[in-house]
Amino acid sequence: MRAHPRHERRWASDSVPERSMVSDGSSSPAMTDDSNSRDQEFVEVTLDLQDDNTIVLRSVEPTTVIHIDDLTGAGNETPTLASASWSPSPIRRSSSNNRIRQFSQELKAEALAKAKQFSQELKAELRRFSWSQSHSSRVLSASTSQNASAGGGGGGAFDLALAARALRRQRAQLDRTRSGAEKALRGLRFIGNYNSTKTNGVDAWNEVETNFNKLTKDGHLFRADFPQCIGMRDSKEFALELFDALGRRRRLKVEKISKDELYEFWSQISDQSFDSRLQIFFDMVDKNDDGRITEEEVKEIIMLSASANKLSRLKEQAEEYAALIMEELDPERLGYIELWQLETLLLQKDTYLNYSQALSYTSQALSQSLQGLRRRSPIRKLSTNLIYYLQENWRRVWVLTLWFCIMIALFTWKFIQYKQKSAFQIMGYCLLTAKGAGETLKFNMALVLLPVCRNTITRLRSTRLGFFVPFDDNINFHKTIAAAIVVGVILHAGNHLACDFPRLIKVSESVYKKYLLHDFGKHKPSYLDLIKGPEGLTGIIMLICMIIAFTLATRWFRRNLVKLPKPFNRLTGFNAFWYSHHLFVIVYVLLIIHGVFLYLVHTWYLKTTWMYLSVPVLLYAGERILRIFRSGFYTVRLLKVAIYPGNVLTLQMSKPQQFKYKSGQYMFVQCPAVSPFEWHPFSITSAPGDDYLSVHIRQLGDWTQELKRVFSEACEPSLAGKSGLLRADETTKKSLPKLLIDGPYGASAQDYRNYDVLLLVGLGIGATPFISILKDLLNNIVKMEEQADSVSDFIRTSELSSGSIDSPNPNKVYPKRKKPLKTTNAYFYWVTREQGSFDWFKGVMNEVAELDQRGVIEMHNYLTSVYEEGDARSTLITMVQALNHAKNGVDIVSGTRVRTHFARPNWKKVFSKTSSKHSNARIGVFYCGAPVLAKELSQLCYDFNQKGSTKFEFHKEHF
């Protein structure tokens, strides 16, 4: 017999004079059929089963048997209980204290002397139990069939059902090991993981006590305030049911409690004993307090849990899932379940989960952890970090270094050049700084247009230049150049307005004629003359336009984070950003004029502003003109429109014949009915092999809100069996608004084929660029399998026709096989806060789960609105989810074949699992979502790249 983990079991003697027999492993005594046993004394003996298969006597306590008279009617027999409570320290009545005390001492001495012998008997008993399980099952099956053939009465069938349930209970209780109990301790938490941050729950109670003092009325806490007091304000209905259950345990139905009673309640719900928490949860379901749970009570608690977790669809199907639980836990069809059955389901729920599991990676993960724990000297650590940083960012480093060097060279050149001019004698270093900054401004004003020439970048990224230049960071580089322009404007305009000009107007006439006569004319200008001249006037107007454009382009204004009163609220949002950015058309025109009318330069070829700007301005203007012509050339016809929960609009349109794209790319969309000028980028969610184009648009700003409103008017309520709240297609009588598209444009996700393994992470609507990748991978998998089948069929047919199978013919021409896909596995993690979000890509997830027979794609859905697994508010949902997924293969939350996890992923575990499973692989981590998680994922890539041979490369989507 294999050594078991050390755990505590309770055994009871049948009677004092007789030899102790092994019970079913619970705290109840073994049943006896002897009618004289009513007059005998009983004790409860607590033994400890050690790792070496020895028994240690823990305690011997006197107890009395509570006998239950035989009940009339068929099948109402109940096993006799030795204790009336699950409490760890029950109070029992004693009929003869002296006699029991004496017997306890004798029994202790005898037990200690015969511990080894008892251990051997226990092992033999457990061996016999494994045989009795199968034997009892066969006997029960034979008895049932005999009863059925003989047409036995209902009483016999009911007795057999009770016997079957008793056998299942015996199995469940002996199967409950310490490992299962420890695993269960992580479940059924009513108050969350407060012990991880608060010592022994003392601080947690202090917080509850503070809430009590705030909410108390006449020294009592009313039932309605109980959820807020214990920190369950968001789950009020669940907390009120918990309050009622705790009250029923005290045989009271109260509307208010005192502080002492609140502390008693708190002690029970924060108890670390799994049995205690399980009993409380059972009492919540068992509202009539009869020790049994009916199907109707299960339905009510499912609806309560669904309400607490904001799962409206689950409430609608509560009756179906209640029947599923009863079918699983009540196969005898007695119409009720008991505490031990609920415990069995909770402890074994993981065995129901039927989805792909990771391969064993314990040893590899351990070696990586040990490698990361090795001590390194500060110099070695610094050098390692520097080498890794250069390996990961060498493209960015050389581009930024070159850019900085060019700016420094231009600034130094102008600084030295103007130091030799006579104006330096009056204006000093203010002039040199202003002119040096002005030269960098001309360079940056030209360079800032290149990162937004999207057609050019899309073509260049497919060339060899894409290996040296980080084209994925084009928007970040655009913002960095804009920041340098701000610094340049401050230095240039600030030195002129606050330093150069005041020095010029304060100089004497004689000094002025000596140094500045040829630059400013015979008459010394005033400050107003300098401002209202062509140079000053164009500079002031450019400065105002830049301030407006830069301010409205900041994150606070562009994302509506700044709340302004009407009518100034129109200054926030994407529309304000879009239109204010077009002020730069005026800025560039004024910049050229400003560069022509220079005070200190009089030769035309030395006025270099137009030279800097000519090529970038013409290139950018050409791209905008190309968009206008191409959008008219790409005529699309809307095929389907659907509005899903979460304010997501899906547009499916015909695919122009000339529109060629890769998975992961995006395109610009314009709706003239909303705005004839605005173009907005959206990821393409259809695969290149599809005969249509599709985009998913979430309502986030003013333009998307108006777009949804326009299409909502053309939509109708969806029919049965159709997804979406509102739908429209070609059969809809109403005409659909016109749509223009432009693209495709390159993005980082389009390079997914360069990696051995993909780790795709999408937050909410950020899953859109990866849906196309998943569909493309699936299409490639299907094509490769079909091609392999066709090649094998062709070979078999050729061999049969030639009449010789053994001798291959070298002159045969076999069909060419497509180059195998480099990507071997893809892991998709989708994190969202709304249950309705899963409807967006429900068809794609089901299709992947059905057709991906080789397990290339592994999908994980995470719903953050549901309390984490282990919380009592989501425990029943987890049970139902596990059962339904095992029986029907469908997840109850997403409605797909992909199981939904609750709360947020543990990204460190995700990376550890992927790294260990794919050692020596090159893994591409692609992310689309909030910047906060991007920092965490990027840091994890950095950490794991230093630990092992697996290399992670992080990419974030930028539009």
Side-chain angles (χ1 to χ4, degrees):
M1 176 178 172
R2 187 176 57 169
H4 294 279
R6 184 180 183 272
H7 62 285
E8 181 179 297
R9 289 192 184 277
R10 294 199 172 193
W11 311 84
S13 61
D14 194 14
S15 63
V16 173
E18 298 295 332
R19 185 177 179 180
S20 297
M21 297 297 293
V22 178
S23 73
D24 59 2
S26 70
S27 58
S28 61
M31 294 181 61
T32 177
D33 296 329
D34 188 1
S35 61
N36 296 327
S37 64
R38 297 175 180 269
D39 301 328
Q40 295 176 342
E41 307 290 344
F42 284 84
V43 293
E44 182 178 279
V45 182
T46 303
L47 303 175
D48 219 8
L49 177 60
Q50 303 293 320
D51 292 330
D52 56 356
N53 294 333
T54 59
I55 300 292
V56 175
L57 181 65
R58 294 291 297 274
S59 65
V60 179
E61 297 178 359
T63 184
T64 58
V65 179
I66 302 174
H67 296 284
I68 301 177
D69 295 331
D70 297 332
L71 301 176
T72 58
N76 286 330
E77 299 177 3
T78 307
T80 308
L81 301 179
S83 62
S85 173
W86 278 59
S87 173
S89 299
I91 300 175
R92 295 178 171 84
R93 296 169 297 172
S94 175
S95 62
S96 179
N97 293 333
N98 294 333
R99 184 180 176 186
I100 293 301
R101 191 177 299 109
Q102 179 182 1
F103 176 74
S104 299
Q105 294 174 355
E106 294 175 358
L107 185 59
K108 282 185 180 179
E110 182 182 357
L112 290 172
K114 296 183 178 181
K116 187 174 181 179
Q117 177 183 356
F118 193 81
S119 174
Q120 298 298 327
E121 293 177 359
L122 177 64
K123 289 193 290 183
E125 195 71 32
L126 291 176
R127 289 193 192 100
R128 285 196 298 271
F129 175 74
S130 62
W131 174 86
S132 65
Q133 279 185 319
S134 59
H135 178 71
S136 300
S137 300
R138 290 193 297 268
V139 172
L140 180 62
S141 176
S143 300
T144 305
S145 60
Q146 288 175 7
N147 254 344
S149 61
F158 193 77
D159 290 341
L160 288 174
L162 286 176
R165 176 166 291 193
L167 178 61
R168 288 200 304 116
R169 180 177 183 179
Q170 186 182 32
R171 292 175 183 172
Q173 289 173 333
L174 281 180
D175 286 342
R176 181 185 175 182
T177 61
R178 166 160 289 192
S179 59
E182 287 179 350
K183 189 173 184 180
L185 285 176
R186 299 192 294 267
L188 277 179
R189 295 189 307 271
F190 289 96
I191 310 298
N193 268 332
Y194 62 83
N195 276 338
S196 61
T197 56
K198 303 182 180 181
T199 306
N200 296 326
V202 175
D203 292 340
W205 164 249
N206 291 337
E207 185 178 341
V208 173
E209 189 176 19
T210 302
N211 293 337
F212 176 86
N213 295 332
K214 293 179 181 178
L215 300 171
T216 184
K217 298 174 183 177
D218 299 330
H220 287 81
L221 178 73
F222 281 86
R223 177 178 178 270
D225 297 325
F226 181 74
Q228 183 178 354
C229 185
I230 65 171
M232 283 192 179
R233 183 182 302 177
D234 296 335
S235 309
K236 188 173 181 179
E237 294 179 4
F238 189 89
L240 292 178
E241 284 293 341
L242 178 61
F243 180 91
D244 294 339
L246 294 172
R248 287 196 300 270
R249 299 184 83 185
R250 303 176 71 240
R251 300 296 187 270
L252 295 174
K253 186 175 182 180
V254 294
E255 288 296 324
K256 59 183 179 179
I257 55 175
S258 63
K259 182 183 289 188
D260 292 337
E261 291 171 325
L262 175 64
Y263 182 76
E264 182 182 346
F265 281 14
W266 174 261
S267 300
Q268 294 181 53
I269 61 179
S270 60
D271 192 343
Q272 290 302 293
S273 168
F274 169 68
D275 290 337
S276 176
R277 297 200 300 255
L278 178 65
Q279 185 67 56
I280 295 174
F281 188 77
F282 185 86
D283 292 341
M284 288 181 63
V285 187
D286 183 21
K287 294 185 178 181
N288 57 4
D289 203 21
D290 62 351
R292 299 174 176 180
I293 300 177
T294 63
E295 184 173 337
E296 185 62 27
E297 290 173 327
V298 174
K299 175 185 173 183
E300 291 180 9
I301 197 66
I302 290 177
M303 295 181 66
L304 186 66
S305 299
S307 177
N309 291 278
K310 303 178 180 63
L311 299 175
S312 56
R313 296 183 184 177
L314 192 61
K315 293 176 66 176
E316 299 172 0
Q317 298 175 294
E319 185 174 352
E320 174 186 345
Y321 296 135
L324 181 66
I325 288 182
M326 296 300 294
E327 179 185 348
E328 177 68 19
L329 299 183
D330 182 28
E332 302 85 13
R333 298 187 179 181
L334 296 178
Y336 64 89
I337 58 176
E338 298 171 289
L339 179 67
W340 67 269
Q341 293 163 291
L342 192 65
E343 175 189 6
T344 302
L345 180 61
L346 181 63
L347 294 179
Q348 297 181 356
K349 67 179 177 63
D350 289 340
T351 62
Y352 293 105
L353 299 179
N354 186 20
Y355 61 99
S356 59
Q357 300 288 339
L359 299 178
S360 176
Y361 57 91
T362 306
S363 58
Q364 295 177 349
L366 179 60
S367 63
Q368 288 187 356
S369 300
L370 293 176
Q371 184 177 356
L373 291 174
R374 293 172 185 168
R375 293 186 177 181
R376 293 178 295 179
S377 64
I379 298 177
R380 178 71 178 273
K381 186 177 180 180
L382 181 63
S383 62
T384 303
N385 292 342
L386 180 60
I387 291 173
Y388 171 77
Y389 181 82
L390 292 176
Q391 288 176 345
E392 292 294 312
N393 300 281
W394 66 271
R395 297 175 181 86
R396 300 184 182 96
V397 169
W398 85 261
V399 170
L400 290 176
T401 302
L402 178 62
W403 176 56
F404 271 113
C405 290
I406 292 175
M407 288 194 297
I408 291 172
L410 291 174
F411 185 93
T412 305
W413 171 46
K414 283 299 175 182
F415 191 92
I416 296 173
Q417 185 184 62
Y418 275 84
K419 192 174 183 179
Q420 299 172 0
K421 290 183 177 290
S422 58
F424 170 70
Q425 305 300 324
I426 296 176
M427 299 182 180
Y429 287 97
C430 295
L431 174 65
L432 307 186
T433 304
K435 289 300 181 180
E439 197 68 18
T440 62
L441 268 175
K442 290 187 284 186
F443 171 67
N444 284 328
M445 287 296 290
L447 189 63
V448 76
L449 293 174
L450 297 181
V452 291
C453 292
R454 300 176 187 267
N455 287 293
T456 304
I457 289 177
T458 301
R459 285 173 172 79
L460 289 178
R461 68 180 296 124
S462 300
T463 65
R464 292 185 179 180
L465 194 61
F467 178 75
F468 300 98
V469 180
F471 288 114
D472 295 338
D473 293 327
N474 61 323
I475 299 301
N476 287 334
F477 191 45
H478 176 78
K479 294 177 182 178
T480 304
I481 298 171
I485 291 174
V486 172
V487 175
V489 168
I490 293 174
L491 291 176
H492 182 77
N495 278 283
H496 276 321
L497 297 175
C499 186
D500 292 352
F501 293 172
R503 285 190 177 190
L504 174 61
I505 62 177
K506 289 180 181 178
V507 74
S508 61
E509 287 288 340
S510 59
V511 176
Y512 170 79
K513 290 180 180 179
K514 181 180 179 180
Y515 293 106
L516 300 176
L517 179 65
H518 299 290
D519 295 321
F520 291 93
K522 297 180 179 179
H523 302 286
K524 185 178 72 171
S526 63
Y527 195 87
L528 183 61
D529 293 333
L530 295 173
I531 295 297
K532 69 180 183 180
E535 303 89 339
L537 190 61
T538 54
I540 295 297
I541 296 175
M542 281 193 296
L543 182 62
I544 295 173
C545 291
M546 284 184 173
I547 290 174
I548 295 173
F550 278 118
T551 302
L552 298 183
T554 57
R555 178 173 175 269
W556 299 281
F557 283 86
R558 186 164 52 91
R559 294 191 176 274
N560 279 316
L561 300 180
V562 177
K563 303 301 180 183
L564 299 176
K566 292 182 179 181
F568 300 104
N569 60 337
R570 293 183 175 271
L571 296 176
T572 61
F574 189 86
N575 277 346
F577 156 75
W578 174 261
Y579 289 114
S580 64
H581 242 55
H582 285 78
L583 289 174
F584 278 94
V585 176
I586 301 174
V587 170
Y588 278 100
V589 173
L590 294 176
L591 182 59
I592 295 175
I593 297 174
H594 185 79
V596 172
F597 293 94
L598 293 178
Y599 287 120
L600 302 179
V601 179
H602 307 289
T603 307
W604 71 270
Y605 57 84
L606 296 178
K607 300 176 181 181
T608 57
T609 304
W610 65 275
M611 299 179 186
Y612 280 101
L613 299 179
S614 56
V615 174
V617 167
L618 289 175
L619 182 62
Y620 182 75
E623 289 226 352
R624 296 299 294 267
I625 295 172
L626 176 63
R627 172 181 292 179
I628 295 173
F629 283 102
R630 188 163 59 181
S631 62
F633 184 69
Y634 286 156
T635 56
V636 295
R637 185 181 74 260
L638 282 172
L639 304 176
K640 187 183 75 172
V641 178
I643 299 177
Y644 291 101
N647 292 321
V648 169
L649 172 68
T650 300
L651 302 176
Q652 191 177 108
M653 62 203 79
S654 59
K655 179 181 176 181
Q657 188 175 1
Q658 300 81 10
F659 195 92
K660 306 294 183 182
Y661 67 98
K662 300 178 181 178
S663 292
Q665 292 185 331
Y666 65 94
M667 66 181 182
F668 278 84
V669 175
Q670 184 199 75
C671 181
V674 177
S675 173
F677 305 107
E678 293 184 43
W679 291 84
H680 293 262
F682 298 101
S683 297
I684 304 173
T685 54
S686 55
D690 296 335
D691 57 354
Y692 62 89
L693 291 174
S694 65
V695 292
H696 287 68
I697 303 172
R698 184 164 193 179
Q699 178 182 322
L700 293 175
D702 40 19
W703 186 86
T704 52
Q705 288 177 358
E706 185 64 17
L707 184 72
K708 180 194 171 186
R709 187 194 65 80
V710 169
F711 278 97
S712 297
E713 295 176 354
C715 291
E716 298 176 352
S718 60
L719 300 175
K722 299 265 188 172
S723 59
L725 301 177
L726 297 173
R727 293 175 62 91
D729 49 33
E730 294 178 306
T731 62
T732 306
K733 296 180 180 179
K734 298 181 181 179
S735 60
L736 296 173
K738 183 181 179 182
L739 210 64
L740 302 177
I741 65 170
D742 177 52
Y745 292 101
S748 59
Q750 76 176 59
D751 299 325
Y752 75 92
R753 291 173 176 264
N754 298 332
Y755 296 94
D756 304 318
V757 179
L758 300 179
L759 184 58
L760 311 174
V761 181
L763 262 60
I765 198 64
T768 50
F770 309 128
I771 295 300
S772 178
I773 293 177
L774 294 179
K775 294 174 71 175
D776 191 34
L777 280 174
L778 184 64
N779 292 340
N780 285 325
I781 292 170
V782 173
K783 286 180 181 178
M784 288 173 63
E785 291 178 350
E786 291 176 351
Q787 189 176 30
D789 293 340
S790 63
V791 169
S792 60
D793 292 342
F794 179 82
I795 294 174
R796 190 182 301 109
T797 304
S798 301
E799 290 173 345
L800 290 174
S801 60
S802 63
S804 175
I805 299 178
D806 298 330
S807 57
N809 187 354
N811 298 323
K812 290 179 182 177
V813 179
Y814 297 101
K816 290 185 178 181
R817 293 197 180 191
K818 189 179 179 181
K819 185 180 178 181
L821 193 65
K822 183 178 182 180
T823 304
T824 58
N825 290 91
Y827 301 91
F828 176 52
Y829 287 83
W830 186 15
V831 185
T832 183
R833 72 180 79 178
E834 298 175 1
Q835 182 187 7
S837 303
F838 297 118
D839 284 352
W840 307 344
F841 311 114
K842 185 175 181 179
V844 176
M845 289 189 287
N846 283 331
E847 189 177 5
V848 170
E850 180 180 355
L851 298 179
D852 183 22
Q853 301 296 331
R854 296 189 298 168
V856 175
I857 303 172
E858 188 173 306
M859 296 180 291
H860 301 269
N861 295 336
Y862 283 82
L863 185 62
T864 58
S865 65
V866 179
Y867 292 96
E868 63 181 345
E869 295 179 14
D871 194 295
R873 288 164 286 190
S874 62
T875 296
L876 201 63
I877 294 176
T878 307
M879 294 180 186
V880 175
Q881 181 194 42
L883 272 175
N884 196 68
H885 197 276
K887 289 183 174 294
N888 304 320
V890 178
D891 183 73
I892 63 172
V893 178
S894 64
T896 68
R897 298 188 179 186
V898 182
R899 182 190 171 228
T900 302
H901 305 268
F902 302 145
R904 291 174 174 81
N906 186 328
W907 294 113
K908 190 173 183 180
K909 288 184 178 180
V910 170
F911 273 76
S912 177
K913 168 185 170 181
T914 309
S915 174
S916 302
K917 189 175 180 180
H918 303 282
S919 57
N920 302 316
R922 185 166 171 244
I923 300 178
V925 182
F926 296 91
Y927 171 72
C928 184
V932 178
L933 183 57
K935 295 180 181 178
E936 180 182 352
L937 296 178
S938 178
Q939 183 62 39
L940 284 172
C941 290
Y942 169 79
D943 294 339
F944 279 88
N945 283 343
Q946 290 188 327
K947 289 181 180 180
S949 58
T950 306
K951 296 302 176 186
F952 293 88
E953 295 185 17
F954 180 73
H955 304 274
K956 184 182 183 301
E957 291 294 315
H958 299 282
F959 293 106

